[in-house]
Amino acid sequence: MGFRCQDAHGENLKGSTFVPMLVSIPKTAILADSPDQFRHKLRLPRFAKPSYYELRFHPDLISYTFSGVVAITVDILQTTRFLVINVVDLTIDHASIHFKDLAPTEVVFFKDDQIMVLGFGKELPLGEGVLRMNFNGTLNDDLRGFYRSKYEYKGKTANMAVTQLQEVDARRCFPCWDEPAFKAKFKITLQVPSELVALSNMPVSSEIVDRAIKTVHFEESPLMSTYLVAMVVGIFDFVEGVTSQGTKVRVYTEVGKTEQGKFALDIGVKFLDLYNGYFGTPYALPKLDMIGIPDFSNMGMENYGLITFQVLDLLFDESSSTPAKQHEIANTVAHELAHQWFGNLVTMEWWTHAWLNEGFATWMSYHAVDYFFPQWNVWMEFLESTISTLRLDSLAGSHPIEVEIHHTSEIGGIFDDIIYIKGASIVGMLQSYLGAERFQKALASYIKKYAYSNANTEDLWAVLEAETGEPWKNLMSAWMKKPGYPVINVKQDGNEIQLEQAQFLLNGSSGSGLWDVPITLSCASSTKIFLLTEKYYKLDLCGKSEKEGSFSIKLNMNKTGFYHVKYDRELSAKLQNALEANMFSSMEKIGILENARMLSMARKDSLASLLYILYACRKEASYSVLTHIDDITSTIAQIFTDAMPKLVGDIKQLFIKVLIAPAEKLGWDPINGEADQDVSLRYILLVDLVKLGHDKTINEGVRRFNILTRDHNTSILSPDIRTVAYLSMMQTASSTNRSGYDDLRRFYRDSADREEKLRILGVLSYCSDKDIVLESLDLIFTNEVPNKDAIHLLEFISIDTREAAWSWLKENWDHILKVVPEKDLLWCIVNNIVPLFTSNDKAEEISKFFTNCTDPALQSALKRNLKMVNINMRWIEGIRTEPGLAQAVHALLHKT
């Protein structure tokens, strides 16, 4: 039968190579035996299933193209005359398409659905057959599919070829069934210039060199999803290690940078050994490669056996990388290695269940890093991430952990902190409730049962039910399928404790959500763990042996549960006393502080209650607690400018009283051998005191800056705290007293150090004098500030001059865009300007200003911050009407 090839309009196409016109067509009546029946479907049909891909690629790093051949073993499961596969941005040689001995009579592409429909002249025989075709593509610069990246080799710029196929970009690399559930085995061959290194998921099985070209054959992979296929081609060095079970681990680097790969190699070997034992199922591949890619859209990508990273998230330079960067590398490596089990060995059935990959990998990465580096206190970092996600999830319009997908274009947008951090928090909540040993055993059973296959959330709950005997499917349903989380209201009545749960929304509205909440509760010296499965619950905690009313109550131990707690007045007073007596861990203190902050913002508790809790922490020494206090006090001080301007001075003095002791203890000067956290905390506290108007700190900053201007080599100001001195100078600047401002500008011009210049630029607009701020912003249009640095002038804007800065931005918009990239400028406004406002009118004005912005990430961030503007406005209304607030501020201010 003759071959007929069509585009999406049904027109005949001639020629040996088919370059499809990918044009969307309107919805019309769909014929049952027409390719049109497969349009507008979220998922591929299930009448055929691939089991094996044999792939051959020839990338050309000069012309930025690649050619390929694919042979797919397909099992025909139901009667059909069609095959439907995913293809995007590939040129298909139609003459090469065959299934068994059949050539298709129809080849139709549907752009919006990203599919190619092959229609055959008769029904396909049931059972296995091989689908073959040739294809060509472009090594694009879009950082997805099969693309090109630049790197340095012998002092020159060279090109490498690399894949990034998650979530749905394998179809840009080769024709395939590009869904996680269509797992198959892969046999990959690469033809590359003989001097290049070719890497893929599996080890090399053979290599044949024919003059300038070598053909590299890789071993057959285990069953895996298409998005995990990986290839990298370039010139690299590597360092190598071996796990206790004999798995070869390599870190590939640019030539001459292998030393920087040793930290990732060391921890990679350790993490693999740890996971082998924890999951009870050994790593499935004979090797694991890790490589940094200069042009890369993610921190890391868990490709089976060949993990790709952003270079800065893999390589550690002991001479220049910071301890914070070392922590980040360890966390990223641990996360991607955890995916070798959660994601690769056991893969979510569909993207709705992506939390099974990301939530578990996130939680496991903290577990692994803490196991080997307990001194890093990474669970405190996780707590801070959880707190940030609690704020995000308390906003109206948040989404559930399990997100329904309606089109593949939506998949990338679901990967946010709800999936990663809330998902990980749910994992931690389960572990805390079940206990570490029972939890680990259940996870091992889950991994063993679904190894080399796919699972959904219900499959996980089924295993947990079998292991623990508890109905987890019903218990966890709300956590997965509803947005938000509860607040637990706690009241004490003698020895009886009364609990009531309600949905917590930061805008103060009432939600209908009800959750089964794993509760951890401490009472005196005892701890109780139980499930709160109803809206109301009562329990007798401490028994008759305890003196009534003498015990204190604390829920949500170490903030492991994804919920807030509101205590009644009596219990709250006891918590304040316990804080004063330093009876809680740092994690507990942060949990108490955050509960009080969120409840006050939602107007579910008074601001005075929050202030008393802050005051109880005035002798705090912990870095983590103090940085959290810093965040809260900065927010309140800003809010008071609009809420109670007459009380701003007093509230700032109160916060100085809270922060001054730890600041004076650290002082201005670094101490040999001090912890990195002390260096960071010194900067944070001194900046706080300057912004709060602490005269002694400001005067000291000015004094030290004046010494620095006379002697640039002086040690009077370490680089870590120079910004404090610069801010101090700006606090003294005004149109009538501009000598300090002029000195700072002169110091900027005289400095040859770009990092120093950026520090100064970052503070030049932080001043209460509008004219000084506008003069600083106008520097964007001068030769004094390079275009690439101009955005830093918008880094610090004082709330006192927000209106002037916003008006300047609007009036000079077109002129600014000639200097600053529009995307950078918009992000700066969203992050630095929008949070300064607290009125509906301003929120609407800013929203209109962004009408033409189409960047989904920017729009999402803008919506979040505009919601916070409205929440802050409502909070201000509550502060203004709160009885006794001024008296509470004065009482604390004068308390000894």
Side-chain angles (χ1 to χ4, degrees):
M1 185 176 290
F3 176 87
R4 183 166 62 90
C5 192
Q6 297 178 319
D7 72 359
H9 287 294
E11 298 173 349
N12 289 337
L13 296 167
K14 298 178 181 180
S16 61
T17 300
F18 172 46
V19 182
M21 294 176 61
L22 299 180
V23 180
S24 299
I25 59 178
K27 292 185 178 180
T28 58
I30 295 177
L31 300 176
D33 196 41
S34 162
D36 283 4
Q37 68 183 295
F38 304 110
R39 291 171 54 213
H40 312 305
K41 307 289 187 184
L42 176 62
R43 308 281 293 270
L44 294 174
R46 262 46 188 172
F47 51 62
K49 180 181 179 181
S51 61
Y52 190 87
Y53 290 81
E54 188 167 351
L55 283 159
R56 188 182 190 96
F57 291 92
H58 183 189
D60 188 331
L61 289 167
I62 297 175
S63 65
Y64 304 144
T65 61
F66 66 91
S67 59
V69 180
V70 63
I72 311 172
T73 301
V74 183
D75 192 4
I76 306 300
L77 303 173
Q78 300 172 24
T79 301
T80 182
R81 73 175 189 87
F82 294 102
L83 290 175
V84 185
I85 63 176
N86 295 116
V87 175
V88 178
D89 294 342
L90 295 175
T91 302
I92 308 297
D93 179 356
H94 72 249
S96 69
I97 304 175
H98 285 84
F99 180 72
K100 290 191 171 182
D101 58 349
L102 300 174
T105 56
E106 298 167 276
V107 179
V108 183
F109 286 71
F110 297 110
K111 177 182 178 180
D112 289 346
D113 301 296
Q114 301 185 347
I115 59 173
M116 175 176 71
V117 180
L118 305 177
F120 295 86
K122 63 179 182 179
E123 290 182 351
L124 302 177
L126 299 180
E128 285 192 346
V130 177
L131 174 66
R132 293 183 170 86
M133 69 186 75
N134 302 339
F135 57 92
N136 295 280
T138 300
L139 291 173
N140 65 74
D141 57 0
D142 298 331
L143 308 187
R144 63 179 180 173
F146 204 3
Y147 73 94
R148 65 184 185 269
S149 175
K150 296 185 182 297
Y151 66 108
E152 294 297 316
Y153 177 63
K154 292 185 176 179
K156 295 182 179 180
T157 300
N159 291 304
M160 70 168 71
V162 60
T163 53
Q164 170 57 38
L165 307 185
Q166 193 186 47
E167 296 80 23
V168 288
D169 289 318
R171 62 195 68 181
R172 300 177 189 276
C173 185
F174 57 96
C176 57
W177 276 257
D178 196 13
E179 295 181 12
F182 286 115
K183 282 193 166 184
K185 295 181 179 180
F186 291 81
K187 184 77 169 66
I188 294 173
T189 298
L190 277 165
Q191 284 184 301
V192 301
S194 56
E195 73 274 12
L196 301 185
V197 175
L199 304 172
S200 188
N201 305 86
M202 300 299 292
V204 173
S205 59
S206 66
E207 187 173 293
I208 301 169
V209 178
D210 183 7
R211 288 170 292 189
I213 297 294
K214 68 178 176 184
T215 303
V216 184
H217 299 277
F218 297 92
E219 295 177 13
E220 178 184 292
S221 78
L223 288 168
M224 66 182 192
S225 301
T226 49
Y227 76 88
L228 296 170
V229 170
M231 297 174 287
V232 180
V233 178
I235 299 178
F236 314 110
D237 275 348
F238 65 85
V239 285
E240 181 178 284
V242 181
T243 69
S244 61
Q245 296 194 4
T247 302
K248 187 180 293 183
V249 180
R250 287 180 175 178
V251 174
Y252 283 86
T253 73
E254 292 182 15
V255 173
K257 294 186 177 181
T258 53
E259 282 293 318
Q260 297 180 27
K262 288 184 176 180
F263 175 68
L265 175 66
D266 177 60
I267 58 175
V269 170
K270 290 177 178 177
F271 291 154
L272 270 187
D273 279 333
L274 176 68
Y275 291 156
N276 279 330
Y278 190 92
F279 294 125
T281 299
Y283 174 65
L285 275 60
K287 64 93 174 175
L288 176 73
D289 295 334
M290 297 183 279
I291 184 168
I293 309 298
D295 303 299
F296 196 63
S297 58
N298 304 301
M299 294 177 70
M301 174 59 208
E302 66 266 23
N303 314 302
Y304 225 165
L306 176 55
I307 304 175
T308 44
F309 294 85
Q310 177 65 248
V311 171
L312 293 176
D313 292 306
L314 180 68
L315 304 186
F316 180 72
D317 187 339
E318 290 189 356
S319 66
S320 61
S321 298
T322 64
K325 175 53 66 176
Q326 187 178 30
H327 298 183
E328 186 177 285
I329 290 170
N331 194 274
T332 305
V333 171
H335 182 101
E336 303 308 330
L337 264 62
H339 272 310
Q340 306 303 299
W341 284 264
F342 273 98
N344 299 8
L345 185 62
V346 181
T347 310
M348 80 254 144
E349 191 275 335
W350 179 240
W351 298 102
T352 295
H353 309 284
W355 86 279
L356 289 174
N357 284 21
E358 302 303 344
F360 274 92
T362 299
W363 188 86
M364 285 303 306
S365 67
Y366 283 93
H367 171 80
V369 174
D370 182 65
Y371 184 88
F372 290 106
F373 304 100
Q375 70 277 16
W376 289 0
N377 203 13
V378 294
W379 285 117
M380 188 67 77
E381 296 174 17
F382 180 73
L383 175 58
E384 290 293 348
S385 296
T386 301
I387 285 170
S388 176
T389 307
L390 282 161
R391 295 174 200 161
L392 175 65
D393 202 27
S394 67
L395 298 178
S398 182
H399 65 80
I401 288 178
E402 288 190 347
V403 181
E404 289 299 321
I405 306 295
H406 303 99
H407 191 275
T408 53
S409 62
E410 299 172 3
I411 295 172
I414 70 172
F415 287 83
D416 62 6
D417 282 349
I418 301 295
I419 300 294
Y420 283 81
I421 305 300
K422 184 178 181 181
S425 296
I426 300 304
V427 175
M429 212 160 51
L430 286 171
Q431 196 246 22
S432 178
Y433 177 77
L434 290 172
E437 188 174 340
R438 290 176 76 202
F439 178 74
Q440 181 180 351
K441 182 181 177 183
L443 283 193
S445 296
Y446 169 77
I447 292 288
K448 183 177 181 180
K449 182 172 183 178
Y450 291 101
Y452 303 106
S453 63
N454 297 85
N456 57 38
T457 302
E458 283 67 32
D459 295 324
L460 173 65
W461 303 146
V463 172
L464 282 175
E465 287 180 2
E467 290 290 329
T468 67
E470 298 193 54
W472 287 106
K473 180 179 179 180
N474 292 332
L475 295 174
M476 300 306 294
S477 176
W479 290 106
M480 296 296 107
K481 301 183 185 304
K482 294 181 181 179
Y485 57 88
V487 56
I488 311 299
N489 295 286
V490 189
K491 294 182 179 180
Q492 180 181 357
D493 184 8
N495 267 22
E496 184 180 77
I497 295 297
Q498 301 170 1
L499 305 181
E500 177 188 357
Q501 67 159 302
Q503 183 171 357
F504 180 81
L505 289 166
L506 199 51
N507 64 10
S509 62
S510 299
S512 59
L514 195 66
W515 288 262
D516 294 305
V517 188
I519 300 289
T520 54
L521 184 151
S522 67
C523 167
S525 58
S526 64
T527 301
K528 291 182 180 290
I529 300 175
F530 60 95
L531 276 172
L532 175 62
T533 60
E534 302 169 352
K535 186 173 180 63
Y536 302 99
Y537 188 71
K538 295 180 180 180
L539 70 161
D540 186 357
L541 282 178
C542 298
K544 304 300 182 183
S545 62
E546 295 281 353
K547 183 179 178 181
E548 183 175 308
S550 65
F551 53 85
S552 60
I553 304 298
K554 173 71 175 64
L555 268 70
N556 202 1
M557 304 289 290
N558 287 322
K559 198 68 176 176
T560 53
F562 200 81
Y563 57 90
H564 290 311
V565 182
K566 181 181 184 299
Y567 300 94
D568 67 11
R569 187 183 299 273
E570 182 180 351
L571 291 174
S572 184
K574 290 180 180 179
L575 281 179
Q576 292 171 29
N577 292 335
L579 281 170
E580 290 266 10
N582 200 26
M583 294 174 62
F584 293 119
S585 69
S586 293
M587 296 183 83
E588 296 282 17
K589 292 174 184 176
I590 290 173
I592 294 168
L593 284 161
E594 188 61 19
N595 278 332
R597 185 234 297 259
M598 296 292 276
L599 290 166
S600 177
M601 290 181 69
R603 292 173 60 176
K604 298 296 183 183
D605 204 351
S606 66
L607 178 58
S609 295
L610 172 56
L611 295 179
Y612 275 103
I613 286 173
L614 283 167
Y615 187 81
C617 297
R618 66 193 179 282
K619 297 178 182 178
E620 185 57 50
S622 160
Y623 168 84
S624 299
V625 179
L626 283 168
T627 54
H628 205 75
I629 291 172
D630 153 68
D631 185 48
I632 295 174
T633 55
S634 298
T635 300
I636 297 173
Q638 178 175 307
I639 286 293
F640 256 71
T641 300
D642 290 328
M644 302 184 77
K646 292 182 180 179
L647 204 60
V648 168
D650 288 337
I651 203 74
K652 287 184 176 181
Q653 288 303 310
L654 175 59
F655 293 157
I656 288 170
K657 189 175 179 181
V658 171
L659 298 171
I660 193 65
E664 288 182 340
K665 182 178 179 181
L666 287 168
W668 280 77
D669 300 310
I671 301 169
N672 288 336
E674 68 181 347
D676 296 322
Q677 287 189 341
D678 286 343
V679 175
S680 177
L681 186 59
R682 175 181 293 111
Y683 167 81
I684 290 169
L685 293 177
L686 289 176
V687 166
D688 267 352
L689 291 175
V690 170
K691 289 185 174 181
L692 289 170
H694 186 234
D695 290 337
K696 184 178 178 182
T697 304
I698 293 171
N699 292 338
E700 181 63 11
V702 170
R703 184 185 75 84
R704 289 177 180 246
F705 174 77
N706 288 332
I707 294 173
L708 180 66
T709 58
R710 294 192 296 271
D711 178 6
H712 290 195
N713 296 317
T714 181
S715 60
I716 195 72
L717 270 176
S718 66
D720 303 299
I721 59 167
R722 287 191 176 185
T723 298
V724 181
Y726 303 156
L727 275 172
S728 299
M729 297 300 295
M730 292 305 300
Q731 292 294 92
T732 68
S734 69
S735 301
T736 57
N737 180 23
R738 54 178 296 133
S739 59
Y741 175 70
D742 291 336
D743 288 343
L744 196 53
R745 289 269 302 277
R746 189 178 304 109
F747 192 70
Y748 167 83
R749 291 190 295 269
D750 292 345
S751 177
D753 185 341
R754 180 167 182 260
E755 187 173 355
E756 194 70 64
K757 284 177 172 288
L758 292 181
R759 289 192 193 105
I760 297 171
L761 287 179
V763 305
L764 281 181
S765 302
Y766 192 83
C767 182
S768 59
D769 188 294
K770 179 182 70 172
D771 293 331
I772 292 290
V773 171
L774 294 177
E775 183 177 341
S776 294
L777 292 175
D778 282 340
L779 290 174
I780 286 178
F781 310 129
T782 70
N783 293 329
E784 189 172 329
V785 178
N787 288 357
K788 64 180 179 179
D789 297 341
I791 194 70
H792 290 274
L793 284 162
L794 289 161
E795 193 172 319
F796 274 124
I797 299 291
S798 168
I799 194 168
D800 297 323
T801 56
R802 57 190 164 176
E803 287 287 356
W806 174 238
S807 296
W808 178 89
L809 279 165
K810 291 184 296 179
E811 292 165 7
N812 294 279
W813 186 257
D814 292 338
H815 197 179
I816 301 169
L817 290 181
K818 296 176 182 177
V819 179
V820 180
E822 183 175 26
K823 189 172 183 179
D824 292 346
L825 188 57
L826 291 173
W827 272 113
C828 183
I829 293 171
V830 168
N831 292 328
N832 299 346
I833 306 297
V834 175
L836 297 174
F837 291 105
T838 58
S839 73
N840 268 333
D841 290 344
K842 194 60 64 177
E844 291 175 7
E845 179 186 335
I846 293 170
S847 182
K848 289 178 181 177
F849 188 82
F850 277 80
T851 299
N852 295 326
C853 174
T854 58
D855 185 297
L858 253 173
Q859 279 291 349
S860 178
L862 176 65
K863 286 178 181 178
R864 284 198 303 271
N865 282 356
L866 289 178
K867 285 177 182 177
M868 287 306 304
V869 170
N870 291 322
I871 286 166
N872 285 339
M873 183 185 68
R874 184 177 177 275
W875 190 18
I876 285 169
E877 292 171 355
I879 291 171
R880 287 172 177 167
T881 57
E882 182 177 323
L885 178 57
Q887 292 89 332
V889 171
H890 292 142
L892 289 172
L893 189 55
H894 297 99
K895 190 175 181 180
T896 56

